[in-house]
Amino acid sequence: MLIPGRASAQIDTDKVMTIGRNALYFEDYLLSIQYFNEVIKVKPYLADPYFYRAVAKFYLEDYSGAEADCSLAIERNPFIVDAYEVRGISRQTLQKDSLAIIDYDFGLKYLPENKTFLLNKAVAQTNVKDFDGAEKTFDRVLQIYPKYDNAYLGLASLRLERGDTIGALDRIGKCIELNANNAEAFIMRADIMIKNKSDYGKAVDDLSSAITLRPKNADLFVNRAFLKYQLDDYFGAMSDFDYAINLEPNNVTAHLNRGLLRMEVEDNNKAIEDFSLVIDKDPSNIVAVYNRAKLYQKTRQYAKSVADFNRVIEKFPNMSMLYYLRSESKRLMGDMRGGEADYNHWRGLSKKKSKDEYDSKEKALSDEQEAAQRFKQLVAVENDNSVKPEYANKYRGKVQNRVAAIEPLPMYTLSYYDRPTELRLNSYYQKEVDIINAKNYLRDKLYLTNSVGNLSEEQIKLQFELIRHYTSMIESHGRRPVDYFGRAISHMLVRNFDSAVDDLSAAIRLSPDFALAYFARAMAMYRKSAIEQISSTVAEKSSQIAATRERQDIRIAIADLDKVIELSPNLVYAYYNKGTIYLEHNDFTSAISCFTSAINLRADFGEAYYNRGIAYIQLGNNERGMSDLSKAGELGIMTSYNVLKRMRKL
């Protein structure tokens, strides 16, 4: 039994490594780390478990841990080039650019034309101000890869570091020409326009393009609102600030700017709310404190106004206008003596400033202008225009092709967990699942779901406990199919698909009419096959053997789903899963037939409409495809609207 935490001598390290990599592919990083830990306990001299654990930590943004594990892997095998790559990027993220360059140089000894190593090295050289070296490295990248858009973006960043704005804009234009979907290029160009106070109209267009590519980035809306304000489009600015806050309710810059804009249009109470949130999140934000003080004064909340002015004066004790403003609040709340003292202090500071701080050639700003300059200007979010290091995404991603223009919705599986959404508060009903739950055959409730997500540490521990429980039941209570079935579901949840297939096959041998066992085995077999395809070498992928093996695994999964349909003709998810398998392997006609069968059984099956819509589009029948996507959106599949928008643009 392969269970982390058991006596290490009992584990098959090769198999545990395979399961750990499975978890890594499925982005179950915490789970994968547990598996690699088990291998390290038994064989601490191996390099691979340290390297794969480093990759998991990297994706968990534990860059120090990733760097340390890569170093341990390299100690054991100095020729793991991938370890130098991951360590280099981790070091670069930790601002250890000089060390990162050493790692990239080592990688380039073995892979001299690797564009990731070359780009990351050039970026690191830029960061350490080795501009001539960075220039040479960028030139080398573009000599080998003349259409590499991010190399031009890196050159633009280098040009900015050298103060060559025109050269930077030229390289950004080239980047966009090569790849109109590079959001960073639009953001960088807009940022240049903002900083140089040049063409705000073009900057708005650039940020709009970036927002289309990154619609959930609140800072982009904040900066576009800033630009719209500069162009006197107050309504557009307010709309963008509102949307940014919708995306990030605690976005301090958005609330600060919206407060300033509300203050300008005299929506005073709402402006106070914005400034109060800013102060709550960032008590040192004097701009918010100053403007709230003025609004408290305006809305006759004089004691609160004085308290806020006190905080600003503590920060700027020589700013004369603050004493005048506080004197007004004190006077209006009845503190005549305090008001007079502040008024006299204001006059004294004003005279001193006029005499001491300005010569005859320099006209002093009025106090009100000074306050406005310090405290009343809207602010843009500062962007880091350096190009971030890239990582060739070899170990991360769903089984479906991530670069596909439109991905199908995932298949349904059996699980002990479900993740309801705002549009689906309860798990879907299926008679066969309900029978198992009603008779308490399993220790935990069973769900049919396509929205499980990754498990927490506690949930992972529980699954290993369940595996031990069902193993004990099998050993002590005879060979019951339901115990093999229950253990198989736990094996699937911890990505041990080999063991899941074995257990489900045992359950089927004991109970040949067990429809849900066939259903679960189809999913376990399909996922196992997909993982094998991802982890196979390039040579294996190009061989007939790998292709034949994949076709056989798919046939087995389809056969199991056909058996489910034979045993339970109304189990709608069998048709749906079968259609999704066909869709993922480009058999669009068969996929449409399966999804149509699912829809005939359940007319409100939104996912089936969505996937059938994709199949129609792939066949060139856009009218039918868009009709299905529209129906899916109507039934709560919100992704449909994004796809429809993209299709209409095309």
Side-chain angles (χ1 to χ4, degrees):
M1 193 59 56
L2 304 172
I3 306 170
R6 285 192 69 144
S8 55
Q10 298 180 34
I11 72 169
D12 178 339
T13 53
D14 288 340
K15 195 166 186 180
V16 175
M17 281 293 295
T18 299
I19 301 168
R21 286 195 297 268
N22 289 353
L24 194 56
Y25 296 138
F26 280 95
E27 302 182 14
D28 275 359
Y29 303 124
L30 292 173
L31 177 60
S32 68
I33 287 171
Q34 288 196 40
Y35 280 117
F36 299 133
N37 287 345
E38 290 302 306
V39 179
I40 288 167
K41 286 179 190 174
V42 182
K43 296 183 178 178
Y45 50 84
L46 291 179
D48 280 357
Y50 290 101
F51 169 66
Y52 286 114
R53 190 172 71 177
V55 174
K57 289 179 179 179
F58 176 85
Y59 284 123
L60 289 167
E61 299 185 19
D62 176 11
Y63 301 115
S64 296
E67 179 191 14
D69 272 354
C70 283
S71 296
L72 290 169
I74 289 166
E75 282 176 20
R76 286 154 178 78
N77 181 356
F79 303 103
I80 300 184
V81 177
D82 285 353
Y84 289 94
E85 182 181 5
V86 175
R87 188 172 70 175
I89 298 168
S90 299
R91 285 174 164 176
Q92 209 165 343
T93 308
L94 294 166
Q95 299 183 331
K96 300 178 180 179
D97 293 277
S98 297
L99 291 174
I101 291 168
I102 295 170
D103 280 338
Y104 298 141
D105 281 338
F106 184 91
L108 288 166
K109 284 182 185 177
Y110 295 92
L111 301 170
E113 296 189 353
N114 182 287
K115 68 178 181 180
T116 304
F117 276 125
L118 286 166
L119 178 72
N120 291 348
K121 179 184 175 182
V123 172
Q125 287 172 309
T126 303
N127 292 342
V128 299
K129 310 298 182 186
D130 177 11
F131 299 143
D132 291 338
E135 191 91 40
K136 289 177 183 176
T137 308
F138 279 125
D139 287 345
R140 173 70 176 150
V141 180
L142 290 170
Q143 182 184 358
I144 304 168
Y145 305 101
K147 294 186 177 181
Y148 188 13
D149 56 306
N150 270 347
Y152 283 100
L153 200 60
L155 264 176
S157 182
L158 176 59
R159 288 280 179 272
L160 288 175
E161 288 283 348
R162 290 187 140 170
D164 179 8
T165 302
I166 294 172
L169 289 171
D170 178 67
R171 269 64 177 186
I172 293 170
K174 181 65 175 175
C175 173
I176 292 170
E177 182 185 320
L178 290 167
N179 180 9
N181 293 319
N182 193 319
E184 289 297 335
F186 291 106
I187 294 168
M188 188 183 291
R189 190 163 67 182
D191 196 51
I192 292 171
M193 301 292 183
I194 294 171
K195 286 179 178 175
N196 294 318
K197 298 181 180 178
S198 49
D199 193 331
Y200 285 153
K202 286 184 180 177
V204 168
D205 291 341
D206 277 342
L207 283 179
S208 296
S209 296
I211 285 167
T212 301
L213 297 166
R214 294 187 182 173
K216 294 186 178 180
N217 187 318
D219 287 345
L220 295 179
F221 286 94
V222 172
N223 281 358
R224 189 172 70 175
F226 170 84
L227 290 168
K228 287 179 177 178
Y229 174 81
Q230 304 301 325
L231 295 167
D232 295 328
D233 179 7
Y234 281 42
F235 180 81
M238 187 69 78
S239 176
D240 273 353
F241 285 137
D242 288 344
Y243 198 84
I245 290 165
N246 234 6
L247 290 170
E248 289 183 14
N250 294 323
N251 189 302
V252 169
T253 308
H255 278 285
L256 178 65
N257 282 338
R258 189 173 71 174
L260 290 167
L261 193 54
R262 283 174 163 175
M263 188 177 182
E264 199 166 325
V265 298
E266 299 197 11
D267 190 356
N268 296 327
N269 289 323
K270 286 186 177 179
I272 288 172
E273 289 176 10
D274 275 329
F275 293 137
S276 295
L277 183 139
V278 173
I279 295 163
D280 180 57
K281 301 298 177 187
D282 179 13
S284 65
N285 195 308
I286 293 299
V287 173
V289 177
Y290 170 84
N291 284 291
R292 190 176 69 173
K294 290 205 69 174
L295 287 173
Y296 278 146
Q297 186 181 80
K298 201 165 192 176
T299 56
R300 303 182 182 182
Q301 301 178 69
Y302 301 120
K304 290 181 178 180
S305 174
V306 169
D308 276 351
F309 280 129
N310 289 343
R311 293 170 66 177
V312 185
I313 288 170
E314 186 179 345
K315 181 76 174 174
F316 297 102
N318 295 319
M319 191 172 176
S320 57
M321 187 62 183
L322 297 173
Y323 294 95
Y324 176 80
L325 292 170
R326 189 173 68 177
S327 76
E328 286 293 289
S329 288
K330 285 182 177 179
R331 182 179 61 80
L332 290 166
M333 68 185 289
D335 180 8
M336 306 307 290
R337 179 178 295 179
E340 184 178 359
D342 274 350
Y343 180 83
N344 290 333
H345 194 68
W346 164 66
R347 291 193 65 183
L349 280 175
S350 296
K351 288 177 182 178
K352 185 175 186 299
K353 179 185 294 184
S354 178
K355 181 179 179 182
D356 296 343
E357 295 187 15
Y358 298 94
D359 58 31
S360 58
K361 295 180 182 179
E362 187 177 24
K363 184 179 180 182
L365 291 171
S366 73
D367 285 337
E368 187 61 34
Q369 285 175 318
E370 182 183 5
Q373 188 179 56
R374 280 188 189 272
F375 300 126
K376 292 186 177 180
Q377 292 182 341
L378 271 67
V379 293
V381 177
E382 184 71 22
N383 286 314
D384 176 9
N385 282 327
S386 62
V387 176
K388 303 300 181 290
E390 288 188 357
Y391 181 38
N393 207 346
K394 303 169 189 172
Y395 308 102
R396 185 185 193 187
K398 295 179 182 176
V399 175
Q400 302 100 297
N401 183 357
R402 282 182 175 269
V403 300
I406 306 169
E407 289 185 359
L409 293 175
M411 288 183 275
Y412 277 77
T413 189
L414 292 162
S415 174
Y416 297 129
Y417 304 101
D418 189 21
R419 189 174 56 182
T421 67
E422 292 179 2
L423 295 165
R424 181 178 65 81
L425 300 177
N426 300 306
S427 178
Y428 288 120
Y429 171 81
Q430 186 63 44
K431 181 186 71 175
E432 290 79 1
V433 175
D434 193 52
I435 290 170
I436 283 183
N437 288 331
K439 294 190 175 180
N440 295 316
Y441 283 136
L442 301 174
R443 209 177 79 170
D444 278 21
K445 186 177 180 180
L446 190 65
Y447 296 96
L448 245 170
T449 180
N450 69 341
S451 181
V452 178
N454 292 338
L455 304 187
S456 67
E457 290 187 69
E458 286 302 312
Q459 289 170 333
I460 291 167
K461 289 177 184 176
L462 177 59
Q463 292 316 304
F464 290 130
E465 182 189 324
L466 281 175
I467 290 169
R468 287 191 286 271
H469 164 74
Y470 286 117
T471 300
S472 172
M473 294 292 287
I474 290 166
E475 291 172 352
S476 60
H477 290 79
R479 297 164 64 245
R480 298 191 309 170
V482 71
D483 294 325
Y484 284 104
F485 177 79
R487 188 170 70 176
I489 302 302
S490 290
H491 278 311
M492 288 178 70
L493 286 167
V494 295
R495 312 301 190 195
N496 187 350
F497 300 117
D498 284 312
S499 295
V501 169
D502 290 344
D503 275 350
L504 291 164
S505 297
I508 288 166
R509 283 194 297 272
L510 292 168
S511 178
D513 295 337
F514 196 166
L516 289 182
Y518 287 102
F519 183 87
R521 189 172 70 175
M523 295 305 94
M525 177 62 73
Y526 187 70
R527 287 190 163 190
K528 173 177 173 287
S529 172
I531 289 298
E532 287 171 352
Q533 284 298 307
I534 293 173
S535 57
S536 60
T537 65
V538 174
E540 288 171 341
K541 285 179 180 176
S542 62
S543 72
Q544 283 293 326
I545 297 172
T548 302
R549 186 174 61 211
E550 184 186 17
R551 284 195 296 270
Q552 287 174 343
D553 290 342
I554 292 169
R555 277 200 295 269
I556 292 169
I558 293 289
D560 274 349
L561 291 171
D562 284 338
K563 186 67 176 177
V564 175
I565 291 166
E566 177 191 326
L567 294 168
S568 296
N570 293 323
L571 209 162
V572 65
Y573 305 101
Y575 298 95
Y576 172 81
N577 283 4
K578 185 177 168 184
T580 304
I581 291 174
Y582 282 133
L583 179 57
E584 290 182 352
H585 289 85
N586 301 326
D587 184 351
F588 305 122
T589 303
S590 297
I592 288 168
S593 175
C594 291
F595 293 132
T596 301
S597 296
I599 290 165
N600 288 340
L601 284 171
R602 211 185 87 194
D604 64 345
F605 199 169
E607 289 95 333
Y609 279 104
Y610 181 92
N611 282 1
R612 189 175 72 173
I614 292 173
Y616 275 126
I617 289 168
Q618 296 286 7
L619 283 175
N621 191 340
N622 289 352
E623 185 178 345
R624 290 291 299 273
M626 292 175 78
S627 173
D628 272 354
L629 289 170
S630 177
K631 182 66 176 178
E634 178 187 315
L635 292 168
I637 310 300
M638 305 311 291
T639 315
S640 298
Y641 296 113
N642 178 268
V643 177
L644 282 168
K645 184 177 179 181
R646 288 160 63 187
M647 289 302 301
R648 289 190 186 104
K649 281 186 178 181
L650 290 172

